[in-house]
Amino acid sequence: MVVTSYAAPAGPVDTRVSDVQGGPAPVSPTQSVWQRYRWTVLRVLSPVALLVFWQIASAAGVLSERVLPAPSLIFDAGLELLRNGELADALAISGTRVVQGLVLGGLIGVALGALVGLSKLAEATVDPPLQMLRALPHLGLIPLFIVWFGIGETPKILLVALGVAFPLYLNTFSAIRQIDRDFLDTAVVLGFSRRQRFTTIILPSIAPQLLVGLRQSLAIAWLSLIVAEQINAESGLGYIINNARDFLRLDTIIFGLVVYALMGIATDGIVRVLEKRALRYRLDA
């Protein structure tokens, strides 16, 4: 009987199935880019398609200019405001009102939220009146604000501040109450001062929810400003809209509302960037 010897191959044996024999088809660079950005592209194309449909409907006479002007007419009205400088001046004035109201309301809301969140006594005495005030529609207080503060800048800023304060108050209070008590007890055992406990435990713990409250407050701030600038406004975006209403300029009115919306989106985007940078440690974890 003849025994045939067999020599093993010198290198490791490749047991993978060949791509030619039924492996997955290679993905082209174009397909890879589309799969990566398809949802972003669709998000951009959807409003563009709406504008195109709107323009076509206006050109075909389906939408009357007395009801809803074409996007091209609204764009022309915006260019007119941009060229004569009215838009830049209005944005500066309205933006200043939002910033002043946001700072004032934000400081009050965060301070009260921290006080009520850290003190049972404050929760029992301060929170009930605040909840009663929060239940009131703050835009319904406009007549009272006019009687108290007149028709100048003060009621506009205070109306924005009132709308801003409550989202930050609620989010600050809720975030503080959700802090793990063991962390604070450990800090006390380690000899942390009040300032150290606030900067190393409380502030990082409440930051995510506080930034969410800030985004909510920004949306309410612009909404409050739209109404506040209807109070005998002599400047700002509200003045442009009121003036356009008197002359039945629907294109200018709609453009002013679009600018309000864009400013709200822009400020929300700024906060989202700040949120991403401030909370990058959570993403890295």
Side-chain angles (χ1 to χ4, degrees):
M1 181 177 179
V2 179
V3 179
T4 304
S5 62
Y6 172 75
V13 179
D14 188 359
T15 59
R16 293 177 300 177
V17 179
S18 173
D19 291 340
V20 180
Q21 298 178 353
V27 178
S28 66
T30 303
Q31 291 176 331
S32 177
V33 172
W34 168 248
Q35 291 176 356
R36 184 176 180 181
Y37 296 104
R38 64 185 183 276
W39 300 120
T40 303
V41 172
L42 290 175
R43 287 177 64 89
V44 173
L45 289 180
S46 59
V48 172
L50 178 61
L51 289 176
V52 171
F53 176 78
W54 181 0
Q55 181 68 38
I56 293 174
S58 298
V62 177
L63 290 177
S64 173
E65 292 184 3
R66 296 182 178 181
V67 177
L68 192 63
S72 59
L73 296 178
I74 297 173
F75 181 76
D76 291 340
L79 282 181
E80 180 183 350
L81 293 174
L82 185 61
R83 288 168 180 167
N84 59 26
E86 291 184 32
L87 181 60
D89 294 339
L91 285 177
I93 294 171
S94 296
T96 301
R97 289 168 178 162
V98 166
V99 171
Q100 291 175 340
L102 183 66
V103 171
L104 178 61
L107 291 176
I108 294 174
V110 172
L112 290 176
L115 175 65
V116 174
L118 294 172
S119 170
K120 288 288 187 181
L121 176 62
E123 183 181 5
T125 57
V126 177
D127 185 63
L130 289 177
Q131 295 298 338
M132 293 174 62
L133 183 60
R134 185 175 71 89
L136 294 175
H138 76 286
L139 296 179
L141 298 175
I142 291 177
L144 192 59
F145 276 29
I146 293 176
V147 173
W148 284 349
F149 307 109
I151 56 176
E153 290 295 304
T154 302
K156 300 178 181 62
I157 296 172
L158 290 180
L159 195 66
V160 174
L162 184 62
V164 162
F166 286 108
L168 286 170
Y169 165 74
L170 292 175
N171 280 275
T172 303
F173 166 72
S174 176
I176 289 177
R177 286 303 172 91
Q178 292 177 17
I179 297 176
D180 193 339
R181 186 68 189 180
D182 292 339
F183 292 160
L184 297 174
D185 293 340
T186 303
V188 173
V189 171
L190 294 176
F192 282 23
S193 64
R194 289 183 178 272
R195 179 176 176 275
Q196 289 175 323
R197 291 200 296 269
F198 179 79
T199 56
T200 59
I201 297 177
I202 296 177
L203 188 58
S205 299
I206 68 174
Q209 199 161 340
L210 191 63
L211 289 171
V212 171
L214 180 58
R215 292 179 61 186
Q216 295 172 343
S217 296
L218 276 171
I220 296 177
W222 285 106
L223 175 62
S224 302
L225 184 68
I226 294 176
V227 180
E229 289 190 332
Q230 310 300 316
I231 308 174
N232 195 30
E234 297 180 354
S235 58
L237 287 172
Y239 171 74
I240 292 178
I241 292 176
N242 284 336
N243 193 38
R245 179 197 59 193
D246 295 337
F247 291 95
L248 300 179
R249 290 289 306 271
L250 289 179
D251 51 353
T252 304
I253 294 175
I254 295 176
F255 178 77
L257 295 176
V258 170
V259 172
Y260 274 123
L262 291 178
M263 293 298 293
I265 293 173
T267 51
D268 182 76
I270 293 173
V271 176
R272 292 184 66 179
V273 172
L274 294 176
E275 182 180 9
K276 185 176 181 181
R277 290 180 61 85
L279 304 180
R280 60 184 180 273
Y281 67 93
R282 302 182 67 190
L283 300 176
D284 296 338

